Amino acid sequence: MNIVFMGTPDFAVASLDRLLNDGHNISAVFTKVDMPRGRKMIMTPPEVKVYAESKGLTVYQPHSLKDEDVINTIKSLNPDVIVVVAYGKLLPPAVLEIPKFGCINLHASLLPKYRGAAPIQWTVINGDKVGGATTMYMNEGLDTGDMILTYETKVGENETSGDLFDRLAVDGADLLSRTLVLLEEGRVERTPQDESKATYASMLDKSMCVIDWSKSCEEVHNLVRGLNPWPVALTTLEGKRIKIIETRKSALSGNPGQVISVNPLTIACGEGSVEIITLQPEGKKAMDSKVFLMGHRLDNTNYFGK
């Protein structure tokens, strides 16, 4: 099929790669504009742009899809289908109406759960045992269109959002590939979403990173792995910030935030505790907690978060 592909982060790269390997014609790739990143705020292209240009594909980075020239450009490409994977923009009606087979979206959740920008992270933060992906027809709403295919996968107890992200990028690409086969063969079955079960996965921000040690070890552990690799959970020790990168649940107990063991480094929660596997002190690189303890003498008089 003749496809216009729309996507931005590395999650979408696996899908674009799969469509090319399946033999589809990618007439153009639409992605968001280059953005400043890192401490030095260097202008950096989206991962999809980097991959698309490496394959010699035509790339467009419009600020808005509502612009008449942009709409006319898409019309001139005459796509059979527009495929959208983590693009980061809603498609206006004028664009939705262009392709013969419609606009198909790959979303990294089991819709209607976790519509929105951060479905993988909220799957982990909320401690869900099962995650997945859904292909769907796009409409004017945010992830509200009729579903086509779904894929379910178990979420490991210690799996981070980054781990799940990598797995779903590949498995989602396979789901998208199978969806386009059904679409081309006219065998797609549409399933309307149950609005009564819809939830929203809001964007992550640094305000939610601070660990509340009064919460259960389950909640703290889920927050840590859900915010890994970004924006990373935070706490303090002796007035200095520490990023908590990796933890494990423990049955030991104590006062919330209290250091209750240093072998391994274990911090009490409101219920149970968590072992700190990897952390990053302020101004330093990430390190194993054993390395951290070589330079810090801690005992049960020390508290994290105070």
Side-chain angles (χ1 to χ4, degrees), residues 132-177:
T134 306
T135 52
M136 53 174 281
Y137 281 100
M138 298 185 71
N139 57 22
E140 294 180 52
L142 178 63
D143 303 321
T144 55
D146 290 348
M147 300 180 294
I148 303 172
L149 294 177
T150 59
Y151 166 78
E152 292 189 6
T153 184
K154 292 182 179 180
V155 181
E157 180 180 322
N158 298 313
E159 190 168 21
T160 67
S161 62
D163 296 332
L164 185 58
F165 187 101
D166 291 341
R167 289 204 294 116
L168 286 180
V170 176
D171 294 333
D174 179 67
L175 191 73
L176 180 61
S177 175

Side-chain angles (χ1 to χ4, degrees), residues 42 49 124 128 171 191 232 235 237 239 241 248 265 299:
I42 297 173
K49 177 183 178 181
V124 178
D128 290 3
D171 294 333
T191 304
V232 186
T235 189
L237 178 66
R241 294 198 315 169
R248 294 290 185 272
L265 178 59
D299 56 35

Side-chain angles (χ1 to χ4, degrees), residues 43 56 85 147 193 196 215 225 248 267 276 290 304:
M43 292 299 292
V85 184
M147 300 180 294
Q193 295 187 41
S196 68
K215 293 189 174 182
R225 62 196 186 94
R248 294 290 185 272
I267 314 302
I276 308 296
K290 294 178 182 178
F304 278 72

